[in-house]
């Protein structure tokens, strides 16, 4: 079984980067078995085709806009996914839905796709998440862990977390402003 | 009656570019190009460690992570007069070159070909005739039997019948502007699928040198990739032979699929050799040093400016001269502290947002005022085009033999004069030809790298200036390169070991920027003037010319347009 956990988003645009920050925290906190690959996809496109090909489970962490209040966490799966793309809820879905469409053509689609998303509070041109989003980030990571558990993958808590590049850059930003 | 055709956004995959075309009957009288997102990297980088800037810069754009990372480390190295080892230079060349080959092939099959190739028409092709066509244009490519094309057609049919056109859903199938016979369409669609299979191998080159993808690592002073033939964790014999395999795969696909397809498709669209030029001014910064950035004579692509198609005179470009490269904001949603109508050199560039446009979603922009989040960069006040056509012209004008023979062969094959290069199709053909030039050159750089290693030189990092304590208290520099989409530069000002100012002028800003203080159009705007639209509701003609530039507007501007329009939204008023 192959699993890809893909964080999407732009870390230079505040809460837009929540998906990238979620997978960063996931990897920092948990040791994952070798069949699970975690990728910070940023806002890239075709480079993601290769890791997405023929995976059994694709789990996407992303900022989404469902019309629900900011900070709402959502889990979308199965039949909700195509509808999700039609409504254009996320800023990256052009890329993601196109990539999935390409894999349909080549017959290499992931067997199952789940999106774990958070509705953003603010999308300004600044580094780091808003405090309200940061507060929910751990919950988002726990949803990713629960998603992995659902498909039979146990994430093992590390004795000490690994360093997080973006989280640390953000902290230095906060102290510089203070 | 005048009406305005609005195409928003125009890229199929990335970005937020809005084109407004002012019509007179069916002819475009004036076109306006607007970036509907803002970029804020300059503000975010202030006060940070210059050695980390690449990690931020590569997030400017999802399509161009590599080139922004590269321009960023070069800017720091230029500011500090920091030289890098020869091996690092060669590895960087190979990484940039791989980006070209990957991007250009993917741009052609994934985006631009769909402006010329009618996917639905491929369903009525005769597989046997398709096979004959394919074997005629590329005798050595193995996937060309009637059975192969019959299988590809069946696959496509299943897909179309299921109503799952997906990536193919956003074009104007059946539009009379599509001229290819069904067999050429089937061949091109099959090669689209083959390009996807090919792509999976070639993207691995960046991970071999940069540690990971899609955000490879960079290092000021070299490359983060040690060479040790006896180590599993370094660039060893196995990885070098993987690189060699990838280079061969790239060359074979370019020679046997991409080049023949471009020529075959172009032969049906020769009227596009007569329109879509735009400015007639072209600029390159130069790139691919065989020796070092301080030795421009060793560059594969020379730097310079060509004005009014005059290939006999190459004007030198100085990226540090205050009066040469300047950005104007007269029609952009920014303010300058001194005078909104004056140009500023990037060292003293300002990024003060001042949105004065309509509240989105809007029907039409007021183009007499500010109408874009892009600035208008100019060289000595002139609007110039950057990108593959500029590079091929520069190589041609400076007598590069390989380029000359390729260009002459192409023009002869298509029975076209040299003037044909100054056009939509000329731009597209130039992209194909430079892919071949660069893919072929990769072998030279790879051989030099292997020869260095065999001679005992395994150095990839120069640590001399790594410690900020060794830096002067203030320094400034420019990191420039030829990105696949054109001339790219990052200007950095360093004070007390931190970034004091940072400005990126990206290729798509040169090409897609709005009018300047003199009301001179940018390259996109100028290139669309005079286009005749068969049906303004299906402006495939606009897409052909704009896509010939390979727009990447996520690159030029940043925050998303909140209204999330259709992929290609056309409104006629």
């Amino acid at each position: 079984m192959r699993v890809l956990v893909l964080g999407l988003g732009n870390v230079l645009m505040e809460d837009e980067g929540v998906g990238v920050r979620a997978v960063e925290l996931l990897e920092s906190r948990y040791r994952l078995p070798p069949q699970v690959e975690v990728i910070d996809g940023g806002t890239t496109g075709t480079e993601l085709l290769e890791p997405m090909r023929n995976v059994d489970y694709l789990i996407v962490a992303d900022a989404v806009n469902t019309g629900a209040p900011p900070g709402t966490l959502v889990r979308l799966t199965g039949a909700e996914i195509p509808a999700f793309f039609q409504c254009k809820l996320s800023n990256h879905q052009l890329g993601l839905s196109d990539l999935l469409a390409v894999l349909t053509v080549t017959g290499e689609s992931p067997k199952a796709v789940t999106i774990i998303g958070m509705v953003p509070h603010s999308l300004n041109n600044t580094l780091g998440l808003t405090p309200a989003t940061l507060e929910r980030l751990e919950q988002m990571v726990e949803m990713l862990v629960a998603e992995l558990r659902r498909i039979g993958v146990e994430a093992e808590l590390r004795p000490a977390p690994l360093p997080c590049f973006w989280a640390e850059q953000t902290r230095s930003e906060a102290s510089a402003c203070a | 009656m005048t009406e305005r055709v609005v195409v928003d956004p125009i890229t199929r995959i990335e970005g937020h570019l809005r084109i407004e075309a002012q019509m007179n009957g069916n002819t475009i009288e004036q076109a306006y190009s607007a970036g509907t997102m803002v970029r804020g990297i300059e503000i975010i980088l202030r006060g940070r460690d210059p050695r980390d800037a690449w990690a931020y810069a590569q997030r400017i754009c999802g399509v161009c992570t590599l080139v922004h990372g590269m321009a960023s480390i070069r800017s720091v190295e230029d500011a500090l007069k920091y030289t890098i080892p020869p091996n690092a230079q060669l590895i960087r060349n190979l990484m940039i070159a791989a980006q070209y080959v990957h991007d250009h092939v993917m741009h052609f099959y994934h985006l631009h070909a769909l402006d010329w190739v009618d996917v639905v028409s491929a369903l009525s092709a005769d597989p046997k005739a398709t096979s004959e066509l394919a074997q005629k244009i590329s005798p050595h490519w193995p996937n060309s039997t009637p059975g192969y094309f019959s299988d590809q057609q069946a696959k496509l049919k299943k897909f179309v019948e299921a109503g799952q056109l997906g990536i193919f859903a956003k074009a104007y199938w059946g539009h009379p502007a599509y001229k290819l016979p069904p067999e050429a369409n089937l061949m091109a669609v099959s090669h689209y699928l083959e390009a996807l299979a090919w792509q999976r191998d070639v993207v691995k080159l960046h991970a071999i040198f940069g540690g990971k993808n899609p955000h490879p690592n960079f290092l000021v002073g070299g490359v983060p990739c040690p060479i040790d033939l006896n180590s599993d964790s370094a660039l060893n014999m196995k990885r070098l032979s993987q690189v060699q395999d990838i280079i061969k795969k790239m060359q074979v696909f370019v020679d046997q699929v991409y080049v023949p397809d471009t020529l075959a498709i172009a032969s049906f669209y020769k009227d596009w050799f007569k329109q879509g030029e735009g400015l007639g001014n072209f600029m390159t910064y130069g790139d691919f040093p065989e020796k070092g950035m301080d030795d421009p004579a060793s560059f594969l692509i020379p730097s310079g400016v060509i004005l009014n198609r005059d290939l006999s005179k190459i004007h030198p470009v100085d990226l540090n001269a205050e009066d040469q490269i300047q950005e104007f904001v007269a029609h952009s949603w920014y303010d300058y502290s001194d005078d909104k109508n004056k140009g500023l050199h990037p060292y003293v560039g300002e990024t003060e947002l001042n949105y004065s446009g309509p509240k989105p979603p809007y029907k039409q922009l007021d183009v007499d005022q500010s109408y874009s989040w892009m600035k208008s960069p100019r060289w000595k006040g002139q609007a110039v085009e950057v990108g593959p056509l500029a590079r091929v012209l520069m190589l041609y004008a400076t007598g590069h033999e390989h380029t000359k023979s390729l260009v002459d062969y192409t023009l002869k094959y298509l029975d076209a004069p040299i003037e044909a290069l100054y056009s939509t199709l000329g731009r597209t053909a130039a992209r194909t030809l430079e892919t071949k030039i660069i893919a072929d050159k990769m072998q030279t750089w790879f051989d030099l790298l292997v020869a260095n290693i065999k001679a005992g030189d395994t150095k990839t990092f120069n640590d001399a200036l790594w410690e900020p304590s060794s830096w002067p208290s203030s320094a400034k520099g420019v990191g420039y390169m030829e990105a696949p989409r054109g001339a790219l530069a990052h200007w950095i000002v360093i004070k007390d070991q931190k970034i004091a100012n940072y400005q990126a002028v990206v290729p798509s800003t040169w090409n897609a920027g709005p009018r300047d203080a003199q009301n001179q159009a940018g390259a996109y705007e100028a290139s669309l003037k005079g286009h005749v639209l068969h049906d303004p509701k299906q402006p495939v003609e606009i897409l052909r010319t704009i896509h010939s530039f390979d727009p990447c507007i996520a690159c030029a501007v940043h925050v998303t347009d909140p209204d999330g329009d259709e992929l290609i939204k056309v409104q006629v008023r």
Side-chain angles (χ1 to χ4, degrees):
Chain A
M1 182 176 76
R2 282 179 59 226
V3 181
L4 173 64
V5 183
L6 179 62
L8 295 179
N10 194 332
V11 291
L12 305 181
M13 281 171 52
E14 226 170 2
D15 293 345
E16 231 270 339
V18 71
V20 171
R21 294 288 301 278
V23 300
E24 184 183 66
L25 188 55
L26 173 75
E27 269 202 302
S28 146
R29 196 165 284 179
Y30 294 95
R31 195 193 305 274
L32 298 163
Q35 70 268 32
V36 181
E37 188 175 11
V38 180
I39 291 185
D40 157 14
T43 57
T44 62
T46 46
E47 285 91 345
L48 300 175
L49 276 176
E50 175 52 21
M52 281 169 64
R53 279 172 215 264
N54 288 322
V55 297
D56 293 281
Y57 294 95
L58 170 65
I59 302 170
V60 177
D62 200 356
V64 300
N65 187 7
T66 61
T72 305
L73 284 156
V74 293
R75 173 179 183 269
L76 301 166
T77 192
E80 294 162 318
I81 302 281
F84 165 84
F85 289 132
Q86 267 161 25
C87 300
K88 297 197 169 59
L89 306 177
S90 151
N91 296 315
H92 317 112
Q93 64 196 25
L94 286 191
L96 184 61
S97 64
D98 278 340
L99 295 177
L100 288 170
V102 165
L103 294 177
T104 313
V105 181
T106 58
E108 299 167 306
S109 297
K111 290 193 188 63
V113 183
T114 306
I115 294 172
I116 302 294
M118 195 188 317
V119 180
H121 287 268
S122 171
L123 302 177
N124 281 321
N125 270 177
T126 54
L127 184 77
L129 305 172
T130 56
T133 296
L134 196 57
E135 213 167 88
R136 290 260 168 112
L137 186 64
E138 300 215 356
Q139 220 177 315
M140 190 169 173
V141 171
E142 290 315 310
M143 284 176 78
L144 291 171
V145 172
E147 196 58 38
L148 287 167
R149 190 171 302 129
R150 190 172 284 126
I151 57 174
V153 174
E154 216 37 62
E156 181 197 336
L157 203 60
R158 293 180 192 273
L162 300 178
C164 289
F165 178 82
W166 291 112
E168 276 161 26
Q169 293 289 322
T170 313
R171 264 195 292 279
S172 66
E173 170 117 323
S175 60
C177 295
Chain B
M1 191 191 86
T2 62
E3 57 180 357
R4 202 176 280 177
V5 176
V6 178
V7 184
D8 173 18
I10 201 159
T11 43
R12 286 203 177 91
I13 290 179
E14 274 284 342
H16 303 261
L17 171 69
R18 179 187 176 100
I19 297 288
E20 293 196 5
Q22 188 76 51
M23 306 299 296
N24 182 357
N26 272 15
T27 305
I28 297 178
E29 214 167 43
Q30 292 294 343
Y32 302 91
S33 163
T36 55
M37 300 187 297
V38 68
R39 185 182 65 212
I41 182 85
E42 291 88 350
I43 303 161
I44 289 173
L45 277 174
R46 251 174 244 149
R48 296 189 182 278
D49 186 333
R51 295 170 302 176
D52 291 338
W54 63 265
Y56 293 82
Q58 72 174 180
R59 303 279 168 162
I60 295 177
C61 169
V63 183
C64 325
T65 57
L66 181 101
V67 296
H68 283 297
M70 201 68 82
S72 179
I73 53 174
R74 280 182 174 173
S75 74
V76 181
E77 288 161 358
D78 184 59
L80 301 173
K81 308 286 168 267
Y82 199 158
T83 57
I84 65 168
N87 289 336
Q89 195 59 69
L90 293 166
I91 289 172
R92 286 185 186 179
N93 282 359
L94 289 170
M95 291 181 79
I96 301 167
Q99 186 80 39
Y100 268 79
V101 179
H102 172 269
D103 279 17
H104 284 358
V105 169
M106 291 304 280
H107 168 261
F108 183 74
Y109 287 100
H110 209 71
L111 277 115
H112 196 30
L114 303 183
D115 299 332
W116 313 99
V117 173
D118 188 331
V119 172
V120 175
S121 146
L123 295 177
S124 56
D126 171 12
K128 191 163 168 290
T130 310
S131 164
E132 281 160 15
L133 170 70
Q135 287 173 8
K136 189 175 137 222
I137 68 159
S138 182
H140 302 296
W141 188 246
N143 300 331
S144 63
T145 62
Y148 174 75
F149 286 113
S150 177
D151 287 351
Q152 298 291 82
Q153 194 177 34
K155 207 187 270 183
L156 181 68
K157 189 156 180 265
K158 215 170 106 194
F159 205 64
V160 171
E161 280 172 356
Q164 286 179 308
L165 270 175
I167 189 80
F168 299 138
K170 301 135 196 168
Y172 305 121
W173 309 136
H175 192 291
Y178 285 106
K179 305 282 189 206
L180 295 184
E183 286 71 26
N185 285 318
L186 178 58
M187 182 182 72
V189 173
S190 301
H191 291 167
Y192 162 87
L193 295 171
E194 289 180 42
L196 289 171
W198 166 88
Q199 181 259 359
R200 71 184 308 172
D201 293 321
V202 305
V203 289
K204 288 176 186 152
L205 190 140
H206 284 163
I208 293 173
F209 289 129
K212 65 190 177 75
N213 226 12
H215 299 105
N217 290 317
F218 292 87
L219 180 64
V220 170
V223 289
C225 152
I227 298 172
D228 182 347
L229 297 184
N230 301 313
S231 163
D232 278 348
S233 59
L235 188 60
N236 53 26
M237 220 51 209
K238 183 169 158 242
R239 293 205 172 101
L240 280 171
S241 83
Q242 280 177 322
V243 172
Q244 176 64 79
D245 286 350
I246 291 171
I247 293 172
K248 278 278 168 273
K249 272 200 176 101
M250 287 178 163
Q251 289 174 343
V252 169
F253 195 85
V254 170
D255 284 352
Q256 298 186 19
V257 185
Y258 183 27
V259 171
D261 279 358
T262 305
L263 294 175
I265 292 172
S267 67
F268 287 92
Y269 288 103
K270 289 186 184 173
D271 48 330
W272 284 90
F273 274 135
K274 295 178 191 138
Q275 54 185 321
E277 173 186 7
L279 299 167
N281 300 333
F282 303 90
M283 182 180 74
T284 57
Y285 290 156
D287 204 345
F288 297 113
E290 214 160 279
K291 302 219 171 86
M293 290 303 285
D294 53 358
D295 184 5
S298 77
F299 288 10
L300 167 62
I301 298 164
S303 90
V305 170
I306 293 165
L307 293 177
N308 301 315
R309 297 185 176 190
D310 181 1
L311 299 184
S312 70
K313 188 159 173 51
I314 308 296
H315 304 265
V317 176
D318 181 351
L319 284 87
N320 286 299
E322 292 226 336
D323 60 343
Q324 291 207 7
I325 290 166
Q326 294 183 327
E327 287 197 291
F328 291 82
V329 296
H331 287 281
S332 311
W333 291 312
Y334 300 92
D335 268 343
Y336 280 168
S337 52
D338 184 20
D339 181 351
K340 188 174 163 78
N341 287 317
K342 265 168 71 176
L344 288 181
H345 186 272
Y347 279 139
V348 293
E350 299 176 11
T351 308
E352 182 71 35
L353 316 184
N354 177 22
Y355 185 73
S356 57
K359 191 175 179 310
Y362 42 78
K363 291 208 158 173
Q364 196 164 314
L365 293 161
D366 181 357
V367 294
D368 292 331
Q369 307 296 321
S370 297
Y371 61 91
S372 179
W373 278 120
M374 272 181 271
K375 298 175 180 175
S376 317
R378 295 292 181 260
W379 177 80
K380 291 191 175 177
Q382 305 265 4
V384 294
E385 172 180 339
V386 299
L389 180 55
R391 286 188 288 258
V392 166
L393 289 171
M394 194 60 67
L395 284 163
Y396 194 87
T398 53
H400 187 255
E401 281 305 324
H402 193 25
T403 307
K404 264 188 88 58
S405 68
L406 280 170
V407 169
D408 292 343
Y409 170 80
T410 302
L411 292 173
K412 190 160 171 261
Y413 182 95
L414 295 167
D415 189 24
I418 182 95
E419 291 74 28
L421 290 173
Y422 304 103
S423 66
T424 298
L425 204 50
R427 197 174 288 118
T428 297
R431 183 172 294 105
T432 304
L433 297 183
E434 81 164 0
T435 310
K436 174 160 174 56
I437 294 162
I438 289 167
D440 288 348
K441 196 72 186 174
M442 286 178 82
Q443 190 62 51
T444 309
W445 297 322
F446 180 77
D447 292 344
L448 286 169
L449 176 66
V450 171
N452 282 351
I453 297 170
K454 282 193 175 146
D457 177 8
T458 56
K459 198 172 172 191
T460 55
F461 173 58
N462 168 12
D463 64 0
L465 292 168
W466 179 250
E467 287 307 323
S469 56
S470 63
W471 303 350
S473 62
S474 69
K476 60 181 184 178
V478 54
Y480 62 88
M481 65 175 303
E482 287 293 328
R485 287 170 186 77
L488 164 70
H490 289 199
W491 282 262
I492 192 169
V493 180
I494 302 171
K495 282 216 171 80
D496 302 326
Q497 306 172 357
K498 300 284 184 213
I499 296 171
N501 199 5
Y502 201 98
Q503 293 285 330
V505 181
V506 309
S508 294
T509 315
W510 283 101
N511 287 339
R515 280 157 169 73
D516 58 27
Q518 309 301 318
N519 222 30
Q520 296 180 99
Y524 284 14
E525 298 182 326
S527 68
L528 289 172
K529 204 171 164 176
H531 276 32
V532 176
L533 305 188
H534 173 80
D535 174 5
K537 289 196 178 79
Q538 299 199 329
V540 66
E541 297 88 351
I542 295 181
L543 296 185
R544 283 179 178 169
T545 292
I546 296 298
H547 284 160
S548 76
F549 287 95
D550 189 4
C552 165
I553 290 314
C555 188
V557 278
H558 231 227
V559 173
T560 189
D561 176 328
D563 57 17
D565 280 348
E566 290 302 303
L567 280 179
I568 295 170
K569 182 178 172 190
V570 182
Q571 298 167 329
V572 181
R573 280 175 285 275

